[in-house]
Amino acid sequence: MDGVKVIADGMRREIDAGKEIGLKYVSSRCSISEMDDHDLSKLLDKPRLKMERKRSFDERSLSELTTGLHRGLESYESAYSPGRSTPDTPPSAGSFFEPHPIVGDAWEALRRSLVYFRAQPVGTIAADDHASEEVLNYDQVFVRDFVPSALAFLMNGEPDIVKNFLLKTLQLQGWEKRIDRFKLGEGVMSASFKVLHNPIRKTETIIADFGESAIGRVAPVDSGFWWIILLRAYTKSTGDQSLAETPECQKGMRLILALCLSEGFDTFPTLLCADGCSMIDRRMGIYGYPIEIQALFFMALRSALLMLKPDQEGKEFIERIVKRLHALSYHMRSYFWLDFQRLNDIYRYKTEEYSHTAVNKFNVIPDSIPDWVFDFMPMRGGYFIGNVSPARMDFRWFALGNCIAILSSLATPEQASAVMDLIEARWEELVGEMPLKICYPALESHEWRIVTGCDPKNTRWSYHNGGSWPVLLWMLTAACIKTGRIQIARQAIDLAESRLLKDSWPEYYDGKLGRYIGKQARKYQTWSIAGYLVAKMMLEDPSNLGMISLEEDKQRKHVIRRSSSWTC
């Protein structure tokens, strides 16, 4: 226990040092507004509850988690580690719990990215790269991009900026949204917004993008889900339920859910989407039922279920959510899951089966299985594939969807453990020299031309087509802590720390191993910075995981028989 005490003391010293740096005051870059913004002001002026921050899981106490972490650290030297088992993986850069010099720089960079409206911080810009000639839309506050920034501020005891962001984006939801002559659904959340300053009139205005300015003119399906997830994270972190219980937030959740739970022609409980509707916002062949959207959908449904009031309006949505969760979890765990045994079964599928007794329910042609997946799939391990629809299975690995599946408990404990097994077994392919591949493998040659439309930004092993994104580090770390695989997170963070500050916090890296700064990557990318900070703070204080993790709902638990690769 002496070793545990030393580690704990080191953890406390680094937390204190990080908070001292993180709490430095940064002056507002915006003037005080003279505009009317009555609705937001009323909500912001409501008395705040001073409650002690909650630090427990829904069903797991901090003491249990801390004990598990200490046990994992004590056995780390003898445990399986990617650094030990994979010859090409660089060794650890030293003890993780010693203060690292880039933490202070990260906090300073994060604070420089703050955006103010009416003298209140309302978000962080996508990138603060002054060296870039083209700003494009990197000076806007993106909903998905702000999530790791929000988590960093919540973990640092600064919830006000998160509250401001939630309320401002909620207000934008009420705007009329049109693309050409078509009106979007009332519940659609903006992809991003920008604060415009008029120094002459001393006024500020906000413009929002709901997809009308986006590449391909696609509405962001994930924005609404991230908003609900972040509202739950704020509530869990602060213990303040009053924000989620306001009529405005309750209505906002119901409007988002109304878009997703409406009845249509679908025969599946998954959500049908267009290409480019999420983090992968360009044509990449994810149209249909992409794993990223399904996992976020599942997590948003579970989060909303915890926050919706069982009143006259909320009760109906609660009932619909429960039914959808039951069907969605079964569908995803049964048909999106792939391990060695499942791959072998698909390889032997018969086709053109008819009636409810069909085994090959989606009429997948075995010859359509790509060659790479046979070598990629280890005997022990598995993952949720990218897409499943009639006569089509996208076997690509997508990091965000699999990590969110673990955090939301869409993945069973056995499946979550198998995903970690896969990452360990395929460390060079999925992590390489910079965590983490957004998808694997990259589209190349003729397939790249057909699927991406010859996209010059999504060339092989670049950007969304097999690029390595540091922001995914926080999701990987959270999944590692939840599954008790601390050594994977530690090794990944060591890799990131060796490059990120030196490379000026790039947006993404290129190459099979993620060795090169992306050819069009912005520097000082805010979510690369925030993602690193969140990963560090979660590993230092695992109770932080509680705000972004949901434990398995025992009432929905299904027994699904699969291969022995699930066995821990």
Side-chain angles (χ1 to χ4, degrees), residues 200-218:
I200 298 175
R201 295 183 178 181
K202 296 182 179 179
T203 60
E204 296 174 342
T205 56
I206 284 184
I207 57 172
D209 177 19
F210 293 92
E212 68 270 27
S213 301
I215 296 173
R217 302 300 186 267
V218 180

Side-chain angles (χ1 to χ4, degrees), residues 354-366:
Y354 181 74
S355 85
H356 64 278
T357 59
V359 175
N360 185 2
K361 294 185 178 181
F362 297 93
N363 197 36
V364 176
I365 311 301

Side-chain angles (χ1 to χ4, degrees), residues 126-265:
D128 191 25
D129 186 359
H130 297 294
S132 178
E133 296 180 359
E134 288 185 300
V135 176
L136 298 177
N137 59 354
Y138 284 85
D139 61 345
Q140 298 184 21
V141 179
F142 282 82
V143 172
R144 75 174 68 96
D145 291 38
F146 180 68
V147 171
S149 296
L151 294 176
F153 286 120
L154 287 174
M155 293 177 188
N156 201 44
E158 302 176 71
D160 285 353
I161 181 177
V162 182
K163 183 175 183 178
N164 295 343
F165 170 84
L166 289 167
L167 291 174
K168 177 48 64 181
T169 48
L170 180 64
Q171 187 185 45
L172 297 177
Q173 185 193 40
W175 288 11
E176 184 177 278
K177 303 170 274 285
R178 287 184 179 273
I179 297 182
D180 294 332
R181 298 182 180 182
F182 183 71
K183 183 179 178 180
L184 276 69
E186 189 178 0
V188 175
M189 281 285 185
S190 63
S192 63
F193 66 86
K194 182 177 181 178
V195 178
L196 299 177
H197 309 283
N198 188 325
I200 298 175
R201 295 183 178 181
K202 296 182 179 179
T203 60
E204 296 174 342
T205 56
I206 284 184
I207 57 172
D209 177 19
F210 293 92
E212 68 270 27
S213 301
I215 296 173
R217 302 300 186 267
V218 180
V221 177
D222 63 337
S223 286
F225 299 152
W226 278 123
W227 187 88
I228 292 176
I229 293 167
L230 186 55
L231 178 61
R232 187 259 173 188
Y234 170 87
T235 303
K236 185 73 174 177
S237 173
T238 63
D240 177 10
Q241 299 181 3
S242 63
L243 178 62
E245 291 177 351
T246 59
E248 293 83 1
C249 285
Q250 290 288 310
K251 181 182 178 182
M253 283 189 285
R254 291 196 301 268
L255 288 175
I256 295 169
L257 295 170
L259 291 174
C260 311
L261 299 176
S262 58
E263 296 179 352
F265 293 100

Side-chain angles (χ1 to χ4, degrees), residues 304-344:
L305 194 61
L306 296 171
M307 296 184 292
L308 282 173
K309 289 182 178 180
D311 53 19
Q312 185 175 0
E313 294 176 299
K315 186 177 180 181
E316 178 189 351
F317 280 95
I318 290 172
E319 292 174 352
R320 291 165 68 183
I321 289 173
V322 171
K323 291 178 181 178
R324 190 62 165 263
L325 284 172
H326 184 81
L328 184 60
S329 61
Y330 178 82
H331 183 90
M332 297 298 296
R333 294 170 180 178
S334 300
Y335 305 123
F336 274 68
W337 180 253
L338 188 73
D339 57 17
F340 181 84
Q341 183 59 53
R342 175 72 171 154
L343 178 61
N344 205 161

